[in-house]
Amino acid sequence: MASQKTNQNRNDAQVMLSQRAYSKPSDAQLQAKLSPLEYEVTQHAATEPPFRNRFWDNHGAGLYVDVATGEPLFSSTDKFESGTGWPSFTKPVEANRVDTEADNTLGMSRTEVKSHAGGSHLGHVFDDGPAPTGLRYCINSASLRFIPVADLEAQGYGEYRALFEPGAKTSAAATPAEATSNSCATPAPGETPGCKATLDTAILAGGCFWGMEEILRKIPGVLETSAGYEGGTMPNPTYEDVRTGKTGYAEAVRIVFDPSKISYEDLLEKWFFRMHDPTSKNRQGNDVGTQYRSAIFVTSPEQREIALRVKKVVAASGKWRAPITTEVVDAGPFTVAEDYHQKYLEKHPGGYSCHFMRD
């Protein structure tokens, strides 16, 4: 069992690099400090979508700490590519920094991982990881804050710099075959994956992402929004690239939402198709070009089926006099836009927008 291996691993490594104590803030403080997504994950044990979270492919050297308390949890020296779409580690940065307990929710028997000081839900630990521990800590990005090595001293974690010095003892590197052969990335025939997201992701384009995000982020059940670029092929597009209309990218918004509070179908029919004009091809208001096209970038076959069905319903509703031009296409890599674009109209209430809810 993973819990038995975890306890043995804890007994084998009792050295603590820091004796600093951490404490859990009040619930009111947590709600003020954390984003809605971070709060749902750490306090209500939600699981974010795989491959569309902030650290699953982070390869920087540094320390991962509890987003709620700052307690050190994992090191990049123990991070490996698991193929699951979530950050994965072979062990905690120190013994006794994480706690485990049985989790029998979602029809599965698993071992939950929590931060010791704050009791934050982090994810789960499995016994199908690579050497040397044989463990796989499958962790939500939303439960973590990443501190690059260069910032350790400045942020009060100088004791941990030794982990990244030449010759420091680290977990043995896992080969791709070892890393990706696990119950989440490749479950056994007839078995369900060992990890299951409770949250979902939608990626929508309908003109300038400023106005789209301003409406989307306020929808009940939406936990996180990010303005960015979707639909093109060039690596690392910037706003200056996309604004030319020649890259194939559209200005889009990535939405993390709770399906128990708002369905993907309602998100499309009751919100997306009402906040912009889906009959205006490659244009919204004063914004003209393919980067302002109407598009639904689906992340699964189920989303494609729902999107096509909703598009037909909207087209037959009689609310639009011209044909619906909205594309329904597979999502590719989503590039988060420059910081000044994020929640732009919250920062600049008088900024331009052509988005509003239609009857």
Side-chain angles (χ1 to χ4, degrees):
M1 294 292 291
S3 58
Q4 293 174 332
K5 284 190 177 181
T6 303
N7 291 334
Q8 182 62 48
N9 190 46
R10 177 174 294 173
N11 293 332
D12 292 342
Q14 293 296 329
V15 177
M16 299 289 286
L17 295 176
S18 172
Q19 299 299 320
R20 178 180 172 184
Y22 297 85
S23 59
K24 182 178 181 177
S26 68
D27 188 68
Q29 290 173 320
L30 286 173
Q31 291 197 50
K33 175 182 181 179
L34 304 179
S35 71
L37 175 60
E38 293 168 344
Y39 184 85
E40 286 300 309
V41 168
T42 60
Q43 307 306 305
H44 294 158
T47 300
E48 65 194 354
F51 299 104
R52 300 186 184 279
N53 53 75
R54 61 194 177 204
F55 297 132
W56 77 272
D57 61 347
N58 179 37
H59 301 290
L63 192 67
Y64 293 84
V65 306
D66 184 353
V67 71
T69 67
E71 181 176 24
L73 297 174
F74 301 97
S75 167
S76 62
T77 59
D78 304 308
K79 190 172 186 288
F80 69 98
E81 296 298 329
S82 65
T84 64
W86 288 284
S88 299
F89 305 86
T90 57
K91 63 184 177 69
V93 67
E94 296 170 296
N96 304 320
R97 286 299 187 187
V98 301
D99 296 329
T100 60
E101 61 182 55
D103 177 9
N104 296 310
T105 61
L106 302 180
M108 294 182 280
S109 179
R110 299 178 294 175
T111 302
E112 182 183 10
V113 180
K114 293 184 175 182
S115 63
H116 178 71
S120 297
H121 171 78
L122 306 176
H124 295 85
V125 60
F126 301 88
D127 60 3
D128 54 15
T133 66
L135 296 173
R136 172 173 59 91
Y137 286 82
C138 190
I139 306 299
N140 285 280
S141 288
S143 69
L144 304 173
R145 179 166 64 90
F146 179 67
I147 304 174
V149 171
D151 297 336
L152 289 174
E153 283 86 359
Q155 296 197 33
Y157 298 91
E159 303 94 327
Y160 298 90
R161 174 171 280 279
L163 294 173
F164 310 96
E165 298 296 339
K169 183 179 180 181
T170 64
S171 294
T175 66
E178 291 175 324
T180 59
S181 180
N182 58 66
S183 66
C184 294
T186 56
E191 294 186 5
T192 58
C195 300
K196 182 178 180 180
T198 61
L199 306 177
D200 203 353
T201 301
I203 303 176
L204 306 174
C208 176
F209 45 26
W210 294 351
M212 290 279 292
E213 185 182 30
E214 182 65 9
I215 296 175
L216 288 164
R217 70 182 183 85
K218 297 177 181 179
I219 299 173
V222 169
L223 301 176
E224 183 177 84
T225 58
S226 301
Y229 313 116
E230 177 67 81
T233 57
M234 71 175 292
N236 305 313
T238 67
Y239 178 70
E240 293 305 315
D241 297 322
V242 176
R243 69 181 298 184
T244 66
K246 299 178 181 179
T247 64
Y249 281 98
E251 290 194 10
V253 181
R254 183 175 64 190
I255 306 110
V256 178
F257 65 99
D258 186 343
S260 70
K261 297 179 180 177
I262 182 169
S263 68
Y264 185 65
E265 185 169 356
D266 283 350
L267 182 63
L268 297 181
E269 184 175 355
K270 297 181 178 180
W271 294 91
F272 173 69
F273 278 110
R274 292 178 57 207
M275 69 178 63
H276 79 297
D277 180 356
T279 69
S280 180
K281 187 175 179 61
N282 297 333
R283 177 172 187 165
Q284 289 295 312
N286 295 331
D287 297 318
V288 180
T290 59
Q291 68 271 36
Y292 300 114
R293 65 187 182 274
S294 176
I296 302 170
F297 296 96
V298 296
T299 63
S300 68
E302 292 77 15
Q303 283 197 357
R304 172 177 287 278
E305 180 182 350
I306 292 170
L308 291 173
R309 182 171 69 247
V310 171
K311 181 179 176 180
K312 288 182 179 180
V313 170
V314 172
S317 68
K319 294 183 178 180
W320 300 100
R321 297 181 180 180
I324 303 296
T325 66
T326 305
E327 302 173 358
V328 177
V329 294
D330 289 338
F334 180 89
T335 301
V336 177
E338 295 81 353
D339 186 65
Y340 72 91
H341 288 298
Q342 307 302 322
K343 298 180 177 61
Y344 182 88
L345 292 179
E346 180 183 18
K347 303 171 186 173
H348 308 280
Y352 169 77
S353 176
C354 60
H355 293 88
F356 59 92
M357 294 300 291
R358 284 111 170 136
D359 293 332

